[in-house]
Amino acid sequence: MRVKTNTKQWINEGYIHITSTITMCLVMSLIVFVLGTFVVDHYKTIVIPHDLYFPPFTAITQTQTTSIHSCHEPSRSSSTSSATHQIVEFTDSTGVVDLWHSMSDSDLMEKAARVPRVANDPWKVAFMFLIRGSLPLGPFWERFFKGYEGLFSIYLHTSPDFNYEPPNSSVFYKRRIPSKHVQWGKSTMIDAERRLLANALLDFSNQRFILLSETCIPLFNFTTIYNYLINANQSFLSSFDDPRKIGRGRYNKRMGPTITLQDWRKGSQWFESNRELAIEIISDKLYYHVFQNHCSPPCYMDEHYLPTLVNKVRPDLTTNRTVTWTDWSGGGSHPATFRKINITAAFLNRVRYESNCTYNGRNSSICFLFARKFHPSTLESLLKIAPKLFEFSG
C-alpha cells in the first residue's frame, strides 16, 4: 500500500512538472511572438528600405503662411469646416511660400483632377522626392537647381514624424507636403506616390512629374534634363510582361475579371509622367482597390500597380522604360548601393551614355537622366567631380 501511495504521488508530481513546463513554454512563446510582431511592424514603418542616412529630427514651429495664388473650396463633408481647410498654395516664378494644407487624400485627388489643363508659360518639371527624412545629397541637388528658378517645382513626402525645416535660402524650404506613414511592400507606398502627384498637379504650370528617392542623383545638368522631359512625346514609366515567378507568378486570380493575367505587368517604381498620365493615375479607383485587396507580399504594389494600370488605361502614353538607372546586376531583392570609392568620371559616363534606347522615335545613347542608389559618403566626391563633368551653372 505504501509503495502504491509513493508511486501515485510520484506520478502526480510528474504530471504537475510537465504541465508547469508546458505552460511556461507557451507563455514564453506568446511573449516572444508579441515582441517579434512589435519589432517587425516598427521596423517596416519606412519609406524606402536599406537607405542608410538618418539625420536627427529637429522640432519646428508651424508658421502662418501667405500665398500668391490660392484656391478656396468649402468642404462638402462638413458644413462647419472653416474656409481655410481647402486653401491650396500654388507656385509662381518667384517660388513657393508653403505647400501645407488639411485636405483629405480623397479631396486632394478630386481637386487635382479638376485643375485647368491650360499651362502657364514657362512649363515646369515637378521633382517629387519620396523620402523618410532629410536629403543627404541635398547640397548636390542645390547645385543642380541653382539658376533655374521658375522652371521646376519640388515636393517632399517624408515621414510625418520628421519636422526638420531647411533654411529659407534652400530650394527645399517649405517643400514638404502633408504626409503619412509608408510601409514597404504595402499599398501605402502607392498612396504616397499618388499624394505627391496630386499635390504637384495643383500647380498647372507643372507639365512633367519625376519620382525620386533620397539616394537619387541627376546625371546631367538641369538644362539637359529639362529639355529632355519637356520635349518628350511620351512618359517614361516601365511596363513589361515578365513571365518569371517574380512577374506573372505574383498575379492573383482573385483580381479577375477586372485584371487578367494578360493585363498583368511589372516595372520600376521610379517613373516619370506627363500631366495627362498623372491625372489618370490619381483618378483611378477601380484598379487601385483590386490591388489593395489582392496584392500582398510576394506581390508588391510599387512594382505592379502603375505598370498594370497604364497597360489597362493608356498604354499609348508611355515608352515602357524608366529614366532612372539602377544596378540590379548583383541579383537579390535590392539593387547595388554606390559609395565614395565608386565615384569616378568613367563610372558616371558609363551610366550616362553606354545605353541604347529610343527617344521620340529616334535612337539615343542618353537613356537615363537619374541614377540610384548613392550612399551619403558619395556627396563630397560628387560635389568635386560632377559640376565640371555635368557643367553645372553657378
Side-chain angles (χ1 to χ4, degrees):
M1 177 68 67
R2 185 176 182 181
V3 173
K4 289 184 178 180
T5 301
N6 290 340
T7 301
K8 186 176 182 180
Q9 182 179 359
W10 179 83
I11 292 174
N12 289 336
E13 290 176 353
Y15 282 148
I16 293 172
H17 178 72
I18 292 172
T19 303
S20 300
T21 302
I22 293 174
T23 301
M24 184 178 296
C25 290
L26 290 174
V27 171
M28 291 180 66
S29 298
L30 180 61
I31 293 173
V32 170
F33 174 78
V34 171
L35 288 175
T37 302
F38 172 78
V39 171
V40 170
D41 287 344
H42 181 72
Y43 175 76
K44 280 187 174 182
T45 307
I46 58 175
V47 170
I48 300 169
H50 299 290
D51 290 331
L52 306 175
Y53 183 79
F54 295 91
F57 289 174
T58 304
I60 62 168
T61 302
Q62 190 71 31
T63 58
Q64 183 69 29
T65 64
T66 58
S67 64
I68 298 167
H69 302 288
S70 297
C71 177
H72 301 262
E73 180 180 327
S75 174
R76 289 177 293 181
S77 60
S78 173
S79 59
T80 61
S81 298
S82 65
T84 58
H85 180 74
Q86 293 294 330
I87 294 178
V88 180
E89 305 280 337
F90 289 92
T91 66
D92 74 351
S93 60
T94 65
V96 171
V97 289
D98 207 336
L99 295 175
W100 212 259
H101 59 75
S102 300
M103 285 186 289
S104 67
D105 280 355
S106 58
D107 287 343
L108 172 64
M109 303 296 169
E110 287 184 21
K111 186 180 293 295
R114 295 198 305 268
V115 170
R117 304 190 186 192
V118 179
N120 283 349
D121 188 23
W123 290 358
K124 292 191 293 187
V125 175
F127 292 80
M128 308 180 302
F129 290 87
L130 181 56
I131 60 180
R132 285 176 293 186
S134 288
L135 284 163
L137 303 177
F140 185 69
W141 282 100
E142 296 269 7
R143 294 290 301 272
F144 169 78
F145 288 119
K146 186 177 180 181
Y148 296 99
E149 292 76 11
L151 296 178
F152 65 88
S153 301
I154 296 174
Y155 300 85
L156 307 176
H157 189 292
T158 69
S159 166
D161 302 321
F162 182 78
N163 292 319
Y164 171 77
E165 189 69 66
N168 57 14
S169 60
S170 170
V171 295
F172 299 105
Y173 177 66
K174 291 189 179 295
R175 304 312 298 164
R176 286 185 300 127
I177 66 170
S179 307
K180 296 182 181 181
H181 283 294
V182 175
Q183 290 181 297
W184 179 67
K186 300 293 183 66
S187 61
T188 51
M189 180 76 78
I190 300 301
D191 295 339
E193 295 177 10
R194 283 157 53 103
R195 202 173 291 125
L196 279 165
L197 275 175
N199 277 277
L201 281 166
L202 293 176
D203 181 353
F204 49 76
S205 296
N206 291 327
Q207 292 296 301
R208 309 293 303 205
F209 307 81
I210 178 72
L211 181 68
L212 302 160
S213 78
E214 64 255 50
T215 67
C216 287
I217 65 166
L219 291 172
F220 297 90
N221 58 35
F222 183 89
T223 300
T224 300
I225 290 178
Y226 177 86
N227 289 333
Y228 193 102
L229 296 178
I230 289 295
N231 294 319
N233 294 333
Q234 294 175 298
S235 301
F236 299 96
L237 192 152
S238 176
S239 177
F240 59 93
D241 178 20
D242 188 345
R244 298 175 297 171
K245 184 177 181 180
I246 60 174
R248 292 183 196 170
R250 294 175 176 174
Y251 172 73
N252 187 336
K253 292 182 179 179
R254 287 179 291 179
M255 292 182 169
T258 305
I259 299 173
T260 67
L261 181 60
Q262 288 68 39
D263 300 324
W264 189 250
R265 294 294 184 271
K266 184 181 179 180
S268 170
Q269 173 187 4
W270 310 103
F271 68 89
E272 190 278 339
S273 170
N274 61 20
R275 192 171 188 89
E276 188 174 3
L277 183 58
I279 293 174
E280 293 281 359
I281 292 172
I282 67 160
S283 300
D284 171 57
K285 294 180 181 178
L286 173 63
Y287 302 109
Y288 172 83
H289 288 305
V290 172
F291 268 86
Q292 191 177 39
N293 293 331
H294 301 301
C295 179
S296 57
C299 174
Y300 301 98
M301 279 188 69
D302 55 283
E303 294 184 17
H304 296 282
Y305 168 67
L306 288 183
T308 302
L309 172 66
V310 172
N311 182 55
K312 287 286 291 185
V313 299
R314 290 304 300 271
D316 58 305
L317 292 181
T318 180
T319 60
N320 294 329
R321 69 177 178 90
T322 180
V323 287
T324 300
W325 179 85
T326 309
D327 183 6
W328 290 96
S329 62
S333 57
H334 299 288
T337 296
F338 300 100
R339 300 176 183 271
K340 183 177 180 179
I341 193 174
N342 303 116
I343 305 304
T344 64
F347 164 67
L348 292 173
N349 278 330
R350 281 199 303 272
V351 177
R352 297 203 302 162
Y353 295 117
E354 293 187 9
S355 299
N356 292 298
C357 60
T358 58
Y359 173 78
N360 288 351
R362 297 183 178 183
N363 293 331
S364 174
S365 61
I366 299 180
C367 302
F368 300 105
L369 305 180
F370 307 91
R372 60 186 299 268
K373 303 170 58 170
F374 287 79
H375 189 271
S377 65
T378 62
L379 176 60
E380 182 179 356
S381 298
L382 286 170
L383 287 173
K384 287 181 179 179
I385 191 173
K388 182 178 180 180
L389 184 69
F390 297 171
E391 297 179 350
F392 282 0
S393 63

